[in-house]
Amino acid sequence: MYIKRSLIALSLALVAATAQASPDDRDGAYVYGGVGKTHGNWKVPAAHGASGAKQKQSGSQKGYVLGAGYRFGPYLAAETSFDTTIGNRRQAGSGVFTSRAFNVGGVGLIPVGEHVELFGKVAVGSRQQGILAPAGTDQKRVKQNRFATTPSVGANVYLTDALALRAEYTIPMSANKKVQQAAGVEKMRLNSWNVGMSYAF
């Protein structure tokens, strides 16, 4: 919730600062990249949890995203992207969640002044998620590939006609069932955010 409130507050502040300007024509190809985190929230079954342990737990992994797109006008674009978690070495005492995805999707844009635009995206593609067992155990890595739909929202803030700051938040979605079962949890929900740059050619 904190991440969502922060992104919304940032977007509204930028809108207020630039509302008097008019949008430029930004048709054509662009590339982008960013760094951020993937968050997981899950529920531990009562039968599996230790006495006094919280039934609702959470964790996060750092990650990055790389992508490219093409704008067809001020309101529509198509994008392809690759995102993955990093730092996935086994640790003592707890398992490590991993995620990577390759997606293509459509983007709807709302220009707000000359320098700011908000966007919503619906992407589809292959999503691989996995669980690395704690170090010192004999359990193998469990992973599952799944074709999935991923919705997200974000904002672009143009520093020049070509260079922009980009922030994106992925709306929470369910983790792959096989991964949830291997982790011994239920109702695992995932969301991610990243902040980076985009450059238009």
Side-chain angles (χ1 to χ4, degrees), residues 5 18 23 46 50 71 88 96 100-101 106 124 143 153 171 183 187-188 193:
R5 289 196 297 266
T18 61
R71 291 187 65 137
N88 300 325
V96 178
R100 63 176 56 185
V124 295
K143 60 182 179 180
V153 295
I171 296 171
K187 296 182 179 179
M188 180 183 282
W193 62 268

Side-chain angles (χ1 to χ4, degrees), residues 112-198:
V112 184
E114 183 179 1
H115 302 291
V116 179
E117 61 190 8
L118 308 180
F119 66 83
K121 179 169 71 173
V122 177
V124 295
S126 176
R127 184 174 72 203
Q128 182 192 89
Q129 295 171 348
I131 289 290
L132 283 170
T137 67
D138 295 329
Q139 184 179 345
K140 296 181 180 179
R141 175 177 176 173
V142 176
K143 60 182 179 180
Q144 181 181 21
N145 288 290
R146 177 185 174 191
F147 188 83
T149 301
T150 305
S152 61
V153 295
N156 295 318
V157 182
Y158 285 86
L159 306 178
T160 69
D161 288 342
L163 187 65
L165 294 172
R166 176 184 171 112
E168 185 172 358
Y169 174 78
T170 301
I171 296 171
M173 56 190 177
S174 297
N176 296 346
K177 290 183 179 180
K178 185 177 179 181
V179 172
Q180 294 184 66
Q181 293 172 354
V185 302
E186 57 187 30
K187 296 182 179 179
M188 180 183 282
R189 301 284 289 173
L190 303 174
N191 64 85
S192 64
W193 62 268
N194 61 77
V195 178
M197 307 288 292
S198 70

Side-chain angles (χ1 to χ4, degrees), residues 37-57:
K37 285 190 175 183
T38 296
H39 296 269
N41 296 278
W42 58 87
K43 181 179 179 181
V44 178
H48 298 172
S51 177
K54 293 182 178 179
Q55 294 301 303
K56 293 185 178 180
Q57 301 179 6

